[in-house]
Amino acid sequence: MLTITSEVREALDAGRPVVALESTIISHGMPYPQNVEMARTVEGIVREGGAVPATIAVLHGRPTIGLSPDDLELLASDASVLKVSIRDLPYVVSRGLHGATTVASTMRLAALAGIDVFVTGGLGGVHRGAETSYDVSADLTELATTSVAVVCAGVKSILDIGLTLENLETLGVPVLGFGTDEFPSFYSRSSGFAAPMRVDSAAEVAALMRAKWDLGLAGGVVVANPVPAEAEIPADEIGAIIDRALADMDALAITGKDTTPYLLGRIVELTAGASLRTNIALVEHNARLGAAIAREHAAH
């Protein structure tokens, strides 16, 4: 059921490096036109890094691996594009709709296409207050089952980072701090939580991927790549802003899959655009690392 561009298919058939990219960040993570500019820039960074970019979405009900410039523009500007996680895929496909894929659904479609490195901004995880709301992202359960390495800037700092790390440990998912002993928290390089494991090169990440999957241990690998120092928002500063955004969200009774888009948008407002600049910088930084990991992994 997949539509795969000839460029991506030829690279996969030849064993050349390919990097999957999600589309929810385009449709629901950033405002227009910064979203489409970011998408084009990130694809260019992956190419400059020696890999083929494969942005993933559902278009006209077809899971599509690799998008055209017109496809990116549609995802960035069409308000009818749905946010699609794993549970939503059958609905969107069966009805012939457009869907922007989350981390979980992008991982699944990437794996179906044979792509094993995926770049995103931040992971979903355990939401604050999950002990009563049970709001836990499908990204975590997907990481337990789908064998794709996910390069991210940690989990989104709107979440409960400690509980998210505990959940990933329970699910058997290796969590690697890239060049850091502290787990990053999306906008910030620090979180107050230790990175469970540390690696310092793309070659080390690729070696761990091979070791995990050669051992028959299915599931993903989290590569937590801290935002560049010059682009970060310090943890104490962004923490107060997140608390304000969470209070505003509660006052509006926003729940479920609408929470993350609302919070990210509200944080952009409260930081006068600084968080958007940080978000773009960290995605570009992750794309460079993702291309390097894909190259190393394809070389063996």
Side-chain angles (χ1 to χ4, degrees):
M1 295 183 66
L2 302 181
T3 296
I4 304 178
T5 63
S6 57
E7 180 190 27
V8 173
R9 186 178 293 281
E10 288 167 8
L12 291 170
D13 288 346
R16 296 198 303 273
V18 178
V19 173
L21 302 165
E22 63 153 300
S23 48
T24 290
I25 193 173
I26 303 171
S27 296
H28 302 96
M30 294 183 186
Y32 183 84
Q34 291 96 330
N35 52 2
V36 71
E37 293 167 359
M38 175 278 304
R40 292 171 179 154
T41 299
V42 167
E43 287 198 346
I45 289 169
V46 171
R47 291 186 194 283
E48 290 167 8
V52 173
T55 303
I56 294 176
V58 180
L59 299 174
H60 305 286
R62 293 281 300 185
T64 303
I65 317 297
L67 303 182
S68 70
D70 286 346
D71 294 334
L72 293 176
E73 184 71 28
L74 182 153
L75 288 166
S77 59
D78 189 333
S80 71
V81 175
L82 299 176
K83 182 181 178 182
V84 177
S85 189
I86 290 293
R87 68 163 189 183
D88 310 302
L89 277 172
Y91 180 85
V92 174
V93 168
S94 65
R95 289 174 175 257
L97 303 175
H98 297 319
T101 51
T102 64
V103 169
S105 51
T106 303
M107 282 184 70
R108 182 70 62 93
L109 294 175
L112 288 174
I115 303 169
D116 45 31
V117 177
F118 164 43
V119 163
T120 186
L123 283 181
V126 180
H127 281 257
R128 301 184 192 189
E131 61 272 15
T132 55
S133 70
Y134 292 92
D135 192 350
V136 179
S137 172
D139 297 355
L140 301 187
T141 48
E142 196 63 28
L143 277 160
T145 57
T146 298
S147 299
V148 172
V150 182
V151 182
C152 61
V155 299
K156 296 182 179 72
S157 44
I158 57 177
L159 305 174
D160 188 316
I161 295 174
L163 290 183
T164 299
L165 289 170
E166 289 288 350
N167 198 302
L168 286 166
E169 179 184 3
T170 299
L171 295 171
V173 178
V175 177
L176 315 178
F178 191 84
T180 181
D181 294 312
E182 185 170 3
F183 188 76
S185 59
F186 195 64
Y187 299 114
S188 308
R189 295 175 62 84
S190 61
S191 67
F193 294 92
M197 308 167 194
R198 176 174 175 151
V199 292
D200 292 289
S201 70
E204 290 176 7
V205 177
L208 184 143
M209 292 161 61
R210 289 192 299 274
K212 174 178 168 62
W213 298 331
D214 286 350
L215 285 167
L217 300 174
V221 175
V222 173
V223 184
N225 185 34
V227 60
E230 65 274 12
E232 80 163 328
I233 302 175
D236 54 351
E237 180 181 333
I238 196 67
I241 291 166
I242 289 169
D243 289 342
R244 168 81 181 277
L246 286 165
D248 293 344
M249 183 185 72
D250 290 342
L252 294 170
I254 294 170
T255 59
K257 69 181 190 179
D258 295 326
T259 58
T260 298
Y262 170 80
L263 288 169
L264 293 178
R266 184 66 179 130
I267 291 167
V268 170
E269 294 173 359
L270 293 171
T271 60
S275 66
L276 177 59
R277 293 188 289 275
T278 297
N279 198 346
I280 292 170
L282 66 85
V283 174
E284 293 177 356
H285 189 52
N286 291 345
R288 294 184 185 93
L289 177 56
I293 293 169
R295 279 200 328 271
E296 290 287 348
H297 195 248
H300 292 83

